[in-house]
Amino acid sequence: MCGIVGAIAQRNITPILLEGLRRLEYRGYDSAGVAVIAAGKGIQRVRAAGKVIELENSLDALPANGHLGIAHTRWATHGKPAEHNAHPHVSHGLAVVHNGIIENHAPLRKRLKDLGYVFTSETDTEVVAHLLAHHYAENNELLAALRATLAEIHGAYALAVIHEDQPETLYCSRMGSPLVVGEGSEERYIASDPLALLQVTDCFRYLEEGDYARLTMNTCEIWDRNHQVVDRPIKRYEHSAHSLDKGEYRHFMLKEIFEQPLAISETLASTLGNDHVLTALLGPDAETRLADVANIHIVACGTSYHAGLVARYWIEAQAGIPCQVEVASEYRYRTVVVPANTLLITISQSGETADTLAALRYSKNQGYLSSLAICNVAGSSLVREADWRLLTHAGPEIGVASTKAFTTQLVALLWLTTALVQVRNGITEQVTNNVRALRSLPDVIAQALTLEPRITLLAERFANKHHALFLGRGTHYPIAMEGALKLKEISYIHAEAYAAGELKHGPLALVDEDMPVVSVAPSDSLLEKLKSNLEEVRARGGQLITFACETIEQTDDANHETIGLPWVEECISPILYTIPLQLLSYHVALVKGTDVDKPRNLAKSVTVE
Ligand code: HGA
C-alpha cells in the first residue's frame, strides 16, 4: 500500500522527500503530500490529489523547505481520494503520515470529537494525529505521547510523526506495515521501502513488528513492542533484491524463484491483523460489498488461470460460495450466465493481458455485482478498469515463465477467501488459522528453497525424456498443472497434468520407463487416495518422483524418489509445493540448455489476442 518517506538533515530535505515519493509511485496511489518544519516556521503542509507531479506543481506555487519532514503517497482505504483526505494529517503543531488501517478508528474518533478535536478528513489516520496531540497535551513529552497512542490503536500501521516543538526529531513506528530507517552521514531517513531512499543511502535498519524509534541527525534510538531499547543492526541494501539486474543469479527466473519469501512478505504487508484479515484493504465499504457476494467467476490466462483454479477449492470449501474459473480467451466469446450478486475476479501479472482485459470489458454489461482485479502492476489497464483491486507486490517479474507472480497471486486469493469467510462468519478458527498460515509462508518457502541441490540432481533424469506426467489431487491438482506448464514453457518437454484419480481412465496407458511421473503428495486429506494412484504407476515400471511431507514414511526404490517438504497447514500447502516444481523445471531447462528467461515463441506480457 503506497508509501511513506521522512528525513532529517542539515540541508533542505524537500527534494529527498519528493524523489522518495517518485520512487514509490510504482505501488499505485491516488494523492500525495508533504509536511516540513523549518526552525521558527512551524509546520508547512502541501497536499494534492492525483500524481506526485501535481504535488510538485503545488510546491512550486507554495514552496515548503526545511530540515525535517515527512511525505506520503496515499491509496485511500477510509475516505475518498481527495486533497482533504491526503496525508500528512495535522493536529496542534504535529503532523502524521500513515500506511495501513486503524481498525478502531470509529470509537476513537467519537471520543476525540467529544474532547473537542475537530476532524477535517474522513480518514482513519486523522484519529492518530489527534490522539497524539491529546496525549502530548497531558505531559508535553512526544515519546510518551507516541507510546500512549500506540497502546490505543489496533490494526496495521507504519507511522511517521513530526512536531514543531521538536524541529530536529523524527518519530516513527511500525506494526503490520513495513518501515526502514536509512542511515546517512549526519542525516537520517525513513521509508516504507528502501528503494525510496537509494538516492541518499544504501544502509538500512529494518524495524521489526511493534518497534518505534526517535531519530535525530546524529542519533537513532529504537524500542521494541515491550518498550525495551533494542539495536536493529545496519544492513547494506542488496541491490539485486527486486532490482532489474540478475545480481548473483544466472537467470532472472532463478532470482525470482528465490525472491518469493520477500515478495510474499510484501504482498502481505498491511493486510493482516493479529488473528484476522484487514478487509478495509479493499476500500471503506468492503465489508458490505463482500457480504453481498453470492457467486464468484474467476477469469484469467495461463499461470494466473491456475491460481484461480486453486482459489476455487478454497472459496467453495471455506466460504461456501459457488465459484467457477475459466480461461479468458473462451469466456470473452461465449454467452455467460451470471447469477445474481456474482463477483467477477480477473487475475493477471501485468494487468495488460489482452484476453483478460477483453473479458473484463465484456463483463461490464453482463450484470455482475462488481469486478475485482488481482494484479502486480498498480497502474495497469486491468486495475484501472476494475471496480476493486487487490495488488500483489511481487516486484518486477522479468523471466517469461511466471514464478513469484503466481505464488503472490495465491497469497492474495487466500487472503480474499479469508475475508469472505470473515465477513460472513466473523473471526472463526478458520480465519485465524489462515492468518497464522499466511504469516508463516515466507519462512516455510525459504526452507523449501534449500531443496535446490537435491532437485538439481533429480533434473538429470529428464535429460533424454520427451514427455512427463504431473499428478495431484484437490488444491494440488492445479499445482500439478502449473508444474507441467512450467516444464513445457522452459524445457520444451511435453508435460501433462492429471487429477490423480483420472490416471486409470486413460493416461495410465502412457506410463513406462520413458515417462517420468511427478506427483504432488502433501499430507492432506487426500493422501491415502493419492498413494493408491501412485502404486498404479509403480506397478507399471514408471519413473516416479514424489514431493511429499517429510513426516510421511518414504518407500523409495530405484524407480521412485521422494523429496520431503516441511509440514504446513493444508490451506498454504499448494503455495509451498509450487516451489520444488519451479526449481525442477528450471534445472531441467539448464540440463536441456534452453533459453530459460526467454523461451522460444513466448512473450512476457501477452498484449495480443
Ligand atoms: N488508511 C489510511 C492510509 C491508507 C494507506 O496506507 N495509504 O497509503 C487512509 O485511508 O488514508
Side-chain angles (χ1 to χ4, degrees):
M1 261 212 253
C2 348
I4 286 178
V5 190
I8 167 98
Q10 301 276 8
R11 54 178 162 155
N12 172 26
I13 45 71
T14 306
I16 300 177
L17 299 181
L18 288 174
E19 176 59 18
L21 292 187
R22 281 191 287 269
R23 287 166 175 255
L24 293 174
E25 281 194 293
Y26 75 95
R27 295 170 161 228
Y29 64 101
D30 50 55
S31 53
V34 294
V36 296
I37 295 179
K41 263 190 152 179
I43 285 185
Q44 308 158 66
R45 173 177 65 159
V46 180
R47 300 178 292 171
K51 297 288 168 201
V52 172
I53 184 81
E54 323 286 347
L55 177 67
E56 289 174 48
N57 292 340
S58 306
L59 279 163
D60 284 344
L62 193 74
N65 297 320
H67 303 291
L68 170 66
I70 52 180
H72 189 257
T73 47
R74 170 175 192 249
W75 182 72
T77 64
H78 294 64
K80 61 179 191 270
E83 188 180 327
H84 73 279
N85 283 329
H87 302 206
H89 289 285
V90 295
S91 181
H92 300 78
L94 61 81
V96 175
V97 289
H98 163 224
N99 276 165
I101 290 163
I102 307 299
E103 286 185 290
N104 56 337
H105 68 98
L108 289 173
R109 177 180 276 257
K110 180 169 181 321
R111 194 176 111 208
L112 289 159
K113 272 188 174 168
D114 291 345
L115 287 167
Y117 288 90
V118 177
F119 281 78
T120 58
S121 80
E122 294 95 52
T123 63
D124 50 337
T125 304
E126 197 178 354
V127 302
V128 180
H130 294 315
L131 198 55
L132 276 162
H134 170 64
H135 288 303
Y136 184 67
E138 287 167 353
N139 58 9
N140 256 16
E141 226 280 280
L142 203 48
L143 190 65
L146 180 62
R147 279 190 186 130
T149 301
L150 297 179
E152 288 192 75
I153 57 178
H154 305 153
Y157 51 80
L159 287 170
V161 184
I162 55 175
H163 197 299
E164 49 195 35
D165 288 352
Q166 293 189 26
E168 310 227 308
T169 316
L170 174 57
Y171 292 83
C172 61
S173 177
R174 68 156 286 203
M175 176 70 97
S177 301
L179 197 68
V180 297
V181 175
E183 297 277 333
S185 161
E186 306 212 333
E187 303 191 341
R188 284 206 160 65
Y189 330 92
I190 54 167
S192 31
D193 186 328
L195 280 179
L197 298 173
L198 290 181
Q199 83 276 18
V200 281
T201 186
D202 62 357
C203 291
F204 295 96
R205 297 178 195 270
Y206 292 81
L207 296 185
E208 291 188 8
E209 289 290 83
D211 281 359
Y212 54 98
R214 178 166 62 187
L215 314 175
T216 65
M217 277 177 243
N218 296 310
T219 60
C220 169
E221 298 163 281
I222 305 176
W223 293 265
D224 68 11
R225 62 168 91 196
N226 301 317
H227 312 298
Q228 301 301 310
V229 174
V230 280
D231 180 27
R232 302 291 177 220
I234 297 178
K235 295 191 177 151
R236 218 161 252 281
Y237 183 74
E238 284 180 32
H239 281 269
S240 63
H242 278 204
S243 67
L244 295 176
D245 62 67
K246 291 197 282 262
E248 74 207 53
Y249 294 95
R250 190 161 158 197
H251 293 101
F252 280 110
M253 183 180 175
L254 189 62
K255 170 173 173 265
E256 288 158 7
I257 289 173
F258 275 83
E259 278 173 355
Q260 288 175 108
L262 175 67
I264 290 174
S265 304
E266 299 209 342
T267 300
L268 286 173
S270 302
T271 69
L272 303 177
N274 260 353
D275 55 358
H276 59 288
V277 294
L278 303 176
T279 49
L281 178 73
L282 287 173
D285 52 353
E287 299 241 333
T288 358
R289 291 168 80 183
L290 284 177
D292 286 344
V293 175
N295 268 287
I296 293 179
H297 288 175
I298 301 180
V299 179
C301 305
T303 289
S304 304
Y305 168 67
H306 295 153
L309 288 175
V310 176
R312 180 178 61 179
Y313 286 90
W314 286 332
I315 290 169
E316 296 210 339
Q318 295 197 12
I321 299 173
C323 176
Q324 78 182 38
V325 190
E326 190 165 355
V327 286
S329 53
E330 284 300 311
Y331 171 93
R332 61 182 288 196
Y333 289 121
R334 75 177 183 89
T335 306
V336 285
V337 176
V338 182
N341 291 330
T342 302
L343 170 70
L344 177 83
I345 301 177
T346 51
I347 312 172
S348 159
Q349 187 283 130
S350 66
E352 305 296 342
T353 313
D355 282 323
T356 311
L357 201 51
L360 173 63
R361 289 174 182 156
Y362 167 71
S363 76
K364 298 271 177 194
N365 302 318
Q366 306 299 322
Y368 282 95
L369 178 68
S370 42
S371 60
L372 166 70
I374 296 183
C375 188
N376 196 34
V377 180
S380 62
S381 309
L382 200 70
V383 169
R384 288 198 311 272
E385 295 183 29
D387 302 323
W388 294 351
R389 66 181 196 169
L390 191 51
L391 290 180
T392 54
H393 292 285
E397 190 179 65
I398 312 292
V400 165
S402 182
T403 51
K404 60 179 182 170
F406 177 64
T407 46
T408 52
Q409 284 167 353
L410 288 175
V411 164
L413 286 160
L414 183 56
W415 182 92
L416 181 68
T417 306
T418 316
L420 288 163
V421 177
Q422 191 172 303
V423 295
R424 274 163 185 70
N425 308 332
I427 303 176
T428 57
E429 207 181 316
Q430 177 84 71
V431 168
T432 51
N433 205 47
N434 285 4
V435 168
R436 203 177 36 244
L438 280 168
R439 258 208 196 96
S440 70
L441 259 174
D443 284 347
V444 287
I445 299 241
Q447 281 180 52
L449 289 168
T450 64
L451 292 172
E452 192 191 11
R454 263 193 89 186
I455 293 174
T456 309
L457 295 177
L458 209 60
E460 303 284 344
R461 298 190 184 189
F462 288 76
N464 306 315
K465 303 291 189 246
H466 300 285
H467 306 276
L469 276 183
F470 283 71
L471 303 178
R473 274 180 173 264
T475 48
H476 299 90
Y477 168 37
I479 297 306
M481 294 169 81
E482 175 59 11
L485 178 65
K486 243 18 24 155
L487 193 69
K488 274 187 276 220
E489 282 178 308
I490 60 169
S491 75
Y492 315 149
I493 292 177
H494 169 229
E496 294 293 334
Y498 281 90
E502 275 294 288
L503 200 60
K504 55 187 169 299
H505 298 287
L508 196 55
L510 297 171
V511 171
D512 62 13
E513 58 284 2
D514 285 328
M515 171 75 96
V517 178
V518 179
S519 72
V520 188
S523 164
D524 63 11
S525 46
L526 294 172
L527 181 64
E528 289 310 315
K529 303 257 176 248
L530 184 78
K531 277 185 177 167
S532 315
N533 305 137
L534 300 186
E535 286 309 320
E536 294 160 10
V537 173
R538 280 171 84 149
R540 282 150 190 92
Q543 294 280 322
L544 200 53
I545 294 162
T546 307
F547 294 99
C549 180
E550 61 198 7
T551 57
I552 287 177
E553 196 194 333
Q554 299 171 10
T555 50
D556 288 3
D557 55 34
N559 289 335
H560 185 193
E561 179 155 353
T562 308
I563 313 272
L565 279 98
W567 180 90
V568 290
E569 296 284 351
E570 200 166 326
C571 63
I572 54 164
S573 157
I575 308 177
L576 175 67
Y577 279 76
T578 301
I579 309 300
L581 298 186
Q582 294 170 341
L583 287 169
L584 181 65
S585 320
Y586 174 76
H587 284 285
V588 173
L590 285 193
V591 172
K592 292 272 184 183
T594 55
D595 187 350
V596 173
D597 284 333
K598 292 199 194 72
R600 66 186 183 203
N601 309 339
L602 299 180
K604 179 64 188 163
S605 173
V606 189
T607 53
V608 291
E609 190 177 343

